[in-house]
Amino acid sequence: MSSLALGARAAVVSLAILAMFLAFWHLGTLGTGPGAVMDSEYAKLMGATATTGQSAMPGPSQVGHKLWEHLTNPFYDNGPNDKGIGIQLAYSLARVLAGYAIAVALALPLGFAIGMSPLIYQALDPFIQVLRPISPLAWMPLALYTIKDSGLSAIFVIFICSVWPMLLNTAFGVATVRREWLNVARTLEVGRFRLAFAVILPAAAPTIMTGMRISISIAWLVIVAAEMLVGGTGIGYFVWNEWNNLSITNVVIAILAIGVVGMILDQTLGRVARLVTYPE
């Protein structure tokens, strides 16, 4: 009952914060007085808002109206530079999930091996410490040169940024399984294969899932920057293309879409993490 009451109060506070934000946003985008005197060609480039004194930043109603247009027709395709936001998000999600899946396939077994073997840990640690701090985008020129495909290069960048949190969390989770549980399993003469999958994996699963949640968040952050560089399709390219078209309204909508999709990805893995978490 108290939890429900807390949730209801939190929802009311959230709605109040949202209403205040929208009100300040609306007030901040009202007219700023007489329009500026400027060259006619420059005024044409900047649009009507620059000559009428209105703010160039769209207000909540303009964004809401445009958002409704996108939601009612998210998958239109009018050529290479004019695709619906649904298509752009689908391209970005496909790249993120592809790179993320490759990272999972490598990071989990390798992290498991590192966590179970001090020899492998010490042998691989220098490579991990050198490669881990490198910005994923620093790999982009090398990927474009070697792979020679912008889409696959973006997937490679997602892979390289996703692999480290999963690898390190998996190794840490496996290495820190309670010694008592391992000793009991050895006393019962449990084989190594069964020990790994019946004792170590369930015990390390919450830590592994934490690494996977961090990885998916980083992957979704990086895809926007990667698509701005490689162009073509994706929500990152959509943001950059709309900026070049001086459509701030579409840029704001893209930012909202990026945030919502990122939240859905994180919450989805968060629910999976709760399934493998157990009380001690």
Side-chain angles (χ1 to χ4, degrees):
M1 183 67 183
S2 59
S3 175
L4 178 63
L6 178 62
R9 282 181 290 166
V12 171
V13 173
S14 295
L15 289 174
I17 293 172
L18 177 62
M20 289 175 60
F21 172 74
L22 292 175
F24 280 115
W25 183 4
H26 175 70
L27 292 174
T29 54
L30 291 177
T32 56
V37 178
M38 60 182 70
D39 180 78
S40 59
E41 290 297 322
Y42 184 68
K44 185 179 178 181
L45 176 66
M46 296 302 293
T49 56
T51 57
T52 59
Q54 296 177 353
S55 171
M57 179 65 71
S61 60
Q62 291 172 272
V63 171
H65 178 72
K66 193 68 178 177
L67 178 61
W68 179 250
E69 290 182 13
H70 283 292
L71 291 176
T72 52
N73 190 17
F75 298 108
Y76 71 86
D77 189 350
N78 296 329
N81 292 321
D82 190 12
K83 297 181 188 298
I85 197 167
I87 293 178
Q88 307 288 14
L89 285 170
Y91 272 107
S92 297
L93 277 170
R95 289 175 182 137
V96 165
L97 294 179
Y100 185 79
I102 298 171
V104 169
L106 176 68
L108 296 192
L110 185 58
F112 221 87
I114 292 172
M116 293 184 70
S117 171
L119 173 65
I120 297 177
Y121 169 75
Q122 292 195 23
L124 295 181
D125 187 59
F127 300 100
I128 295 172
Q129 296 307 322
V130 169
L131 295 174
R132 185 171 59 90
I134 299 174
S135 168
L137 296 180
W139 293 95
M140 183 59 82
L142 194 60
L144 288 170
Y145 179 75
T146 54
I147 300 174
K148 303 185 186 306
D149 184 282
S150 59
L152 293 177
S153 298
I155 291 173
F156 171 77
V157 170
I158 294 304
F159 157 73
I160 209 74
C161 74
S162 303
V163 73
W164 305 118
M166 274 190 280
L167 178 67
L168 296 175
N169 272 58
T170 302
F172 177 76
V174 171
T176 55
V177 173
R178 292 173 64 172
R179 297 294 102 182
E180 298 90 334
W181 299 347
L182 298 178
N183 291 335
V184 169
R186 291 192 182 102
T187 302
L188 297 174
E189 298 183 347
V190 174
R192 289 182 64 85
F193 187 80
R194 191 177 176 191
L195 174 71
F197 283 92
V199 179
I200 297 176
L201 182 59
T207 310
I208 295 172
M209 286 306 304
T210 300
M212 294 180 72
R213 285 185 72 179
I214 296 171
S215 288
I216 197 68
S217 298
I218 294 175
W220 189 243
L221 287 173
V222 169
I223 191 63
V224 175
E227 289 174 343
M228 284 183 178
L229 290 175
V230 300
T233 51
I235 193 65
Y237 172 72
F238 180 80
V239 172
W240 192 246
N241 191 43
E242 294 304 321
W243 162 245
N244 288 328
N245 293 333
L246 296 177
S247 179
I248 304 299
T249 305
N250 277 334
V251 172
V252 173
I253 290 171
I255 291 171
L256 288 173
I258 291 168
V260 170
V261 173
M263 180 191 69
I264 292 172
L265 291 174
D266 180 72
Q267 291 297 313
T268 301
L269 282 180
R271 288 184 178 276
V272 176
R274 282 195 286 275
L275 293 176
V276 300
T277 302
Y278 52 89
E280 293 195 32

